[in-house]
């Protein structure tokens, strides 16, 4: 009988799924792993962001942790997650996390005898800050409906709805949608030209859904 025991193994990757922008002063991303004494030699802990081939954080026992790239200046390098010298700086404490840090975080733990990786996605989201919905006066039976929304992250999915009766609400097709990303937040402008004879006494509404958040 063959028994395969993995000396190095990531037990848990603690990364929050969704965080409201500005709601927390810091976030801790933790990579809990197990290793036996014989597998600890050559231990290196690295974190990666999205598909970048270069790590954004690295710690080697006996040396201070380092932050690179998008995490440079955004990590508390003095954060200690465990008194175990082989676990001391395995975690990242992000300081004042912003939406641009959203994405996949991968923890890679390696020694001379093995390697293991784990990945989770985190979204730092911002709900809409302002929104307006207006319609023009009909002219030759033509009217336009315009919606503007600002201050969202991540990129929103937009739907314009028309309430034709108490029990009947429909999604309007063929929208003209313009999205711009400025200072880490999306602004959206939606317009639609309609024949007012098709929507008499209608009530319009807008639906905004933030991707990977469900807001």
């Amino acid at each position: 009988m063959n028994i395969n025991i993995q000396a190095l193994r990531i037990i848990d990757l603690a990364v929050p799924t969704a965080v409201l922008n500005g709601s927390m002063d810091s976030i801790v991303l933790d990579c809990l792993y197990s290793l036996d004494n014989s597998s600890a030699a050559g231990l290196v802990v690295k974190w990666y962001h999205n598909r970048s081939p270069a790590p954004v954080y690295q710690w080697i026992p006996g040396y201070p942790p380092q932050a690179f790239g998008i995490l440079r200046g955004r990590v508390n390098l003095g954060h200690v997650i465990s008194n175990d010298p082989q676990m001391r700086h395995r975690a990242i404490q992000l300081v004042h996390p912003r939406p641009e840090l959203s994405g996949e975080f991968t923890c890679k733990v390696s020694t001379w005898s093995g390697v293991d990786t784990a990945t989770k996605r985190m979204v730092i989201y911002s709900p809409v800050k302002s929104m307006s919905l207006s319609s023009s006066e009909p002219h030759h039976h033509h009217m336009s409906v315009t919606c503007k929304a600002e201050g969202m992250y991540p990129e929103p999915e937009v739907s314009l709805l028309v309430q034709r009766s108490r029990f009947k609400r429909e999604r309007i097709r063929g929208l003209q949608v313009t999205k711009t990303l400025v200072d880490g937040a999306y602004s959206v402008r939606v317009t639609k030209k309609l024949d007012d004879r098709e929507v008499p006494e209608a009530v319009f509404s807008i639906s905004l859904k933030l991707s990977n958040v469900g807001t």
Side-chain angles (χ1 to χ4, degrees), residues 43-176:
L43 176 64
V44 180
V45 178
K46 295 181 180 181
W47 285 81
Y48 297 82
H49 184 247
N50 291 332
R51 298 183 179 182
S52 173
V56 292
Y57 178 88
Q58 176 177 285
W59 173 59
I60 301 173
Y63 296 90
Q66 297 174 287
F68 311 98
I70 195 171
L71 292 192
R72 188 185 298 274
R74 296 182 172 185
V75 175
N76 176 12
L77 296 176
H79 178 69
V80 175
I81 194 70
S82 171
N83 291 326
D84 186 333
Q86 304 298 333
M87 305 278 183
R88 188 175 177 84
H89 294 292
R90 69 176 188 238
I92 304 175
Q93 184 180 30
L94 302 177
V95 180
H96 302 300
R98 302 285 294 169
E100 57 267 26
L101 295 183
S102 298
E104 290 185 344
F105 281 88
T106 298
C107 175
K108 178 181 178 182
V109 183
S110 61
T111 65
W112 291 341
S113 60
V115 60
D116 199 9
T117 63
T119 300
K120 281 190 176 180
R121 182 174 181 82
M122 177 179 70
V123 176
I124 302 174
Y125 69 95
S126 295
V128 61
K129 290 184 178 179
S130 64
M131 183 168 61
S132 63
L133 181 63
S134 61
S135 60
S136 65
E137 291 294 329
H139 180 67
H140 296 300
H141 297 295
H142 288 89
M143 62 179 294
S144 63
V145 178
T146 302
C147 174
K148 298 178 182 179
E150 298 179 341
M152 299 157 289
Y153 191 89
E155 182 177 353
E157 300 172 10
V158 184
S159 299
L160 184 62
L161 308 172
V162 57
Q163 190 88 30
R164 297 182 183 273
S165 66
R166 182 179 178 184
F167 302 104
K168 187 177 182 181
R169 188 169 69 165
E170 299 176 359
R171 178 177 295 184
I172 298 176
R173 308 292 180 180
L175 303 178
Q176 293 181 332

Side-chain angles (χ1 to χ4, degrees), residues 3-17:
I3 300 177
N4 184 17
I5 300 177
Q6 188 174 353
L8 167 63
R9 181 169 62 92
I10 294 177
I11 301 172
D12 183 44
L13 187 64
V15 175
T17 302

